[in-house]
Amino acid sequence: MTFEELNGDYSVERMDSVIKALEEVLRSALPQGCITVGVYEAAKSLNMDPDNVVLCILATDDDDVKDVALQIHFTLIQAFCCENDINILRVNNTRRLAHILGGAGIHGSEQMDLHCTLVTVPHASTWKNPAMGKVNRFCRESRCMDQWVPIINLPER
């Protein structure tokens, strides 16, 4: 069940706005080297410097729901993020996420692990991104409605 199905007040237009903001956050963070991709790499980054992480994106496709090990990893990452006040989103389309990241999901001929993507901000940076503000607001509003990990349906484009 998606966020918009749970909350009729969250209009399709508003959800589209959040999706566009998320895409902008990812596209602007990528060239700055502020993206960490992969469950293992994300766990290392979260362990080393959680204060540097501003967003955690957990991505799945339909087949991933049956992957018990991945769901355990997600549970642990979610718990860590909640404890460290890191916003979390769940997206349902790893192929679209790879496209947004400019093909970052493909490394040579191998598919990279896009199940967990972190957006980080260097300590020295005063990165102010209106799109990040919109994503943060969406996460905050979702938490107020007891949805701690909101789901975003990334459409194919």
Side-chain angles (χ1 to χ4, degrees), residues 74-146:
F74 279 4
T75 301
L76 294 171
I77 290 169
Q78 286 172 204
F80 188 90
C81 289
C82 286
E83 189 169 310
N84 288 278
D85 297 320
I86 298 168
N87 286 323
I88 312 165
L89 289 175
R90 200 146 180 176
V91 299
N92 68 344
N93 189 337
T94 56
R95 190 171 57 243
R96 176 71 181 130
L97 182 59
H99 184 262
I100 293 168
L101 293 172
I106 300 170
H107 185 65
S109 62
E110 286 185 33
Q111 179 89 11
M112 285 182 65
D113 176 14
L114 288 173
H115 290 111
C116 186
T117 302
L118 300 179
V119 178
T120 58
V121 177
H123 288 294
S125 174
T126 56
W127 187 48
K128 297 290 181 195
N129 184 326
M132 188 70 223
K134 188 175 283 193
V135 171
N136 286 337
R137 192 168 36 259
F138 171 73
C139 291
R140 190 173 48 250
E141 290 170 359
S142 297
R143 283 192 302 273
C144 287
M145 296 176 358
D146 289 330

Side-chain angles (χ1 to χ4, degrees), residues 24-44:
E24 183 180 325
V25 165
L26 293 172
R27 286 192 177 118
S28 64
L30 189 62
Q32 297 179 43
C34 295
I35 297 285
T36 301
V37 175
V39 172
Y40 179 72
E41 291 79 4
K44 284 193 321 187

Side-chain angles (χ1 to χ4, degrees), residues 2-16:
T2 65
F3 185 80
E4 57 257 276
E5 291 168 340
L6 289 173
N7 179 18
D9 294 340
Y10 221 88
S11 70
V12 172
E13 295 84 22
R14 202 161 167 210
M15 186 56 74
D16 286 344

